[in-house]
Amino acid sequence: KMINGSTVSRWACINFSRSVQESVARTFCHELAQMCQVSGMEFNPEPVIPIYTARADQVEKALKHVCHASVNKLKGKELDLVIAILPDNNGSLYGDIKRICETDLGLISQCCLTKHVFKINKQYLANVSLKINVKTGGRNTVLMDALSCRIPLVSDIPTIIFGADVTHPENGEDSSPSIAAVVASQDWPEVTKYAGLVCAQAHRQELIQDLYKTWHDPVRGTVNGGMIRDLLISFRKATGQKPQRIIFYRDGVSEGQFYQVLLYELDAIRKACASLEPNYQPPVTFIIVQKRHHTRLFANNHKDRSSVDKSGNILPGTVVDTKICHPTEFDFYLCSHAGIQGTSRPAHYHVLWDENNFTPDGIQSLTNNLCYTYARCTRSVSVVPPAYYAHLAAFRARFYLEPTSNDDDLAGQVGRSTWTGGCGVRPLPALKENVKRVMFYC
C-alpha cells in the first residue's frame, strides 16, 4: 500500500486508438480505478464525462474539448487526471499530449498503450497506480529512518536535496538547444517529494546557466531569479522552514569538466542563497553522479550463493571505496539496485565538495537509502532518485520545444532568452504550477 494515497474524484479518458472499442476502454478504466483503490487511493470509479474517442491528428482539439466539457459539467472545478489511450506506434502523439497538458492546459495526464489495454495485467496496473498517486499529490514510499528522524546529517536540521542534469541533442542536430533540469526535495524530514524546473540553454553547454541569474527591470530595478532560488523559496513555502543544509547531486559531467562545473555551479548556489537573505550561506555537499564508465564489480566467490543475487550479480547495497578509487579524492562505487538482466553497472559518486563533514559511511548509506524512495517502482534503483528525476525532467522538456519557425509564437511564451555566442536560445514555454511538482513522474 502507498504511504499516503491521494484522491482522484474528477477524471476523464480520451481514446486515441482506433482498435480500442469504447467497451474495452471502459473495462480498462474500471480495472485501473479498482487497482488505485486497492493500493490505498480514493479513486472515483466513474469518469466525469463518457470516454471520448478522438483521432490522433486532432490531439489539441480533443484535449481542449474534454477539458472544457468537464469544467462545464463540474461548474468550474478542474480535472484531477486525464487518462489517454494511445496506439502502440504513436509517433509524436505522446509528446504532443504532454506538451499541451503541461504547458497549456495545466492537466495531469497518464498515457497507456493499446497493448496494455487489451491485455490487462495486474502488475502493469499496479505500476500505473504508483505513477498516478505521485502525480496527484500522494506519496508511495517513505524511509523508516526518516519517519523516526534517524538519518545522519539530514534529520537533525532542515535539509534540501537537489538533483541536476543537462541533456544534449542527438549527434547531428546542430541547432537544438541543450536542456537543463533541476529538482529539489519539498518535504523534510522525509525527503520523498520533489519539484522540478527546466530551461533551454546554448547548444552542448554543460554548465547550467540559469541556476542563478539577475536582470534589470525598468520598474523593479535589479531582479534576482534562477532555478536554485525558486526551489529554495518553494521548499520554505512547503515546509515552513528555510534549508540549513544543501546536498547537490549533479548528473552527467565527464571527468574533464569536474572542476569547471563545481566552480561555476557552487558559486551560483551561494549567490542564490545570499540573494534571499544577507549572510544566508547553508553548508553545501556537491556530488557528481556517473553511469557512463566501464567499471563492473563481481563477487569474489561466484559459487557462494550468499554473496550473489539470484541473477548472479553482486548484492544490492554493495559499496567499493578503496583500491580502484581515486588515490586522494573522495569517490565510491555503489551498486544500489538488484540486477535483473545482464551485468549490474554500479553508479560512480564523486564528492567534489563537502562542507557538511559527512563520514564516508554517512554519505554512502544516505545515497543507498534514497535509492529505495524512487516513486515509479517498488524496487531500489541504480541512481539516486533526485538525479534520476532531473534526467527525466530534462528528457520530458524536449517535447516542449515546438517544431515551429514562426517568431510570432514567442509572444505567448514566458521566460528570458539566453544569448550565447551571438545566437539566441528560444525559451521553453512556461510550465503550469501544478506540473512543476510532477513532470518527472509522468
Side-chain angles (χ1 to χ4, degrees):
K1 284 226 173 193
M2 299 143 176
I3 189 111
N4 299 121
S6 64
T7 301
V8 177
S9 51
R10 303 180 297 274
W11 61 277
C13 175
I14 307 181
N15 178 11
F16 289 105
S17 177
R18 285 183 176 176
S19 55
V20 176
Q21 292 81 25
E22 191 176 335
S23 59
V24 177
R26 225 182 3 253
T27 305
F28 173 77
C29 288
H30 180 70
E31 292 283 330
L32 180 57
Q34 269 195 318
M35 179 57 80
C36 288
Q37 289 169 347
V38 168
S39 304
M41 293 174 65
E42 285 183 37
F43 201 104
N44 184 352
E46 292 301 317
V48 171
I49 56 172
I51 291 171
Y52 184 74
T53 303
R55 283 179 21 204
D57 59 351
Q58 297 193 330
V59 54
E60 187 162 3
K61 186 178 167 189
L63 284 166
K64 286 184 173 171
H65 169 80
V66 166
C67 185
H68 294 144
S70 303
V71 168
N72 288 341
K73 187 158 182 194
L74 294 164
K75 299 188 173 66
K77 286 184 182 165
E78 306 249 316
L79 282 173
D80 298 324
L81 178 72
V82 169
I83 297 170
I85 297 172
L86 312 187
D88 291 335
N89 296 321
N90 54 67
S92 65
L93 178 59
Y94 174 81
D96 290 341
I97 289 172
K98 293 298 181 187
R99 188 188 78 247
I100 295 159
C101 284
E102 292 167 15
T103 64
D104 187 8
L105 301 174
L107 284 175
I108 303 301
S109 57
Q110 176 61 56
C111 295
C112 303
L113 292 177
T114 298
K115 61 184 177 185
H116 297 303
V117 173
F118 278 122
K119 182 177 170 240
I120 296 176
N121 176 315
K122 287 273 187 275
Q123 179 68 63
Y124 171 76
L125 292 178
N127 286 344
V128 172
S129 68
L130 286 177
K131 294 177 75 174
I132 289 174
N133 188 46
V134 284
K135 289 180 196 185
T136 51
R139 290 190 301 189
N140 294 339
T141 47
V142 170
L143 291 170
M144 291 292 285
D145 282 359
L147 292 176
S148 53
C149 294
R150 284 199 313 244
I151 303 179
L153 294 172
V154 172
S155 299
D156 53 344
I157 57 173
T159 300
I160 187 169
I161 300 182
F162 284 95
D165 191 18
V166 178
T167 62
H168 302 294
E170 291 172 15
N171 290 338
E173 275 194 55
D174 297 333
S175 57
S176 298
S178 291
I179 291 181
V182 180
V183 307
S185 59
Q186 297 293 293
D187 55 348
W188 177 84
E190 293 91 350
V191 288
T192 53
K193 274 189 169 182
Y194 289 81
L197 295 171
V198 286
C199 70
Q201 56 186 41
H203 180 73
R204 299 222 163 263
Q205 167 69 264
E206 184 55 56
L207 303 175
I208 301 177
Q209 299 299 301
D210 276 2
L211 285 182
Y212 173 71
K213 57 183 181 178
T214 58
W215 65 93
H216 186 75
D217 185 276
V219 179
R220 294 180 293 167
T222 302
V223 180
N224 297 302
M227 296 196 280
I228 296 284
R229 182 187 159 93
D230 291 350
L231 289 166
L232 288 170
I233 291 168
S234 75
F235 179 93
R236 175 129 195 205
K237 276 185 192 160
T239 62
Q241 309 191 62
K242 60 183 182 187
Q244 302 291 332
R245 181 186 288 122
I246 293 174
I247 301 169
F248 195 93
Y249 287 99
R250 176 67 157 90
D251 196 2
V253 181
S254 60
E255 221 148 303
Q257 291 183 298
F258 274 11
Y259 290 97
Q260 188 187 359
V261 167
L262 174 68
L263 285 171
Y264 182 86
E265 296 184 3
L266 188 63
D267 183 52
I269 293 168
R270 293 211 190 294
K271 284 177 177 167
C273 292
S275 74
L276 291 166
E277 269 180 35
N279 304 323
Y280 173 51
Q281 287 299 335
V284 179
T285 297
F286 195 101
I287 306 161
I288 301 280
V289 188
Q290 290 175 307
K291 278 283 281 190
R292 292 184 186 177
H293 56 75
H294 298 289
T295 305
R296 301 292 180 271
L297 304 173
F298 300 94
N300 202 16
N301 177 5
H302 205 73
K303 292 192 176 75
D304 175 11
R305 301 305 295 167
S306 64
S307 64
V308 292
D309 213 351
K310 59 186 174 195
S311 61
N313 279 299
I314 50 172
L315 295 169
T318 303
V319 168
V320 174
D321 60 0
T322 57
K323 302 275 173 62
I324 60 169
C325 295
H326 197 285
T328 56
E329 294 175 7
F330 176 27
D331 66 327
F332 58 93
Y333 290 93
L334 167 64
C335 180
S336 53
H337 65 298
I340 302 172
Q341 211 175 9
T343 305
S344 293
R345 181 189 299 188
H348 184 213
Y349 296 89
H350 208 115
V351 183
L352 293 186
W353 190 260
D354 180 25
E355 296 171 334
N356 290 302
N357 300 322
F358 274 103
T359 61
D361 283 355
I363 196 73
Q364 288 160 9
S365 70
L366 170 66
T367 303
N368 185 55
N369 289 350
L370 286 173
C371 290
Y372 284 81
T373 65
Y374 183 63
R376 287 162 51 147
C377 67
T378 54
R379 313 169 63 89
S380 64
V381 287
S382 57
V383 176
V384 69
Y388 209 145
Y389 293 147
H391 176 77
L392 293 171
F395 193 73
R396 162 58 50 81
R398 287 247 160 250
F399 295 132
Y400 303 156
L401 294 166
E402 289 190 53
T404 55
S405 55
N406 188 351
D407 287 340
D408 296 343
D409 291 346
L410 278 173
Q413 294 183 357
V414 180
R416 296 174 55 77
S417 288
T418 318
W419 291 87
T420 315
C423 132
V425 176
R426 185 174 169 175
L428 294 170
L431 284 174
K432 299 292 181 185
E433 273 308 310
N434 61 332
V435 172
K436 291 177 185 174
R437 301 190 303 274
V438 299
M439 62 189 286
F440 38 83
Y441 298 133
C442 290

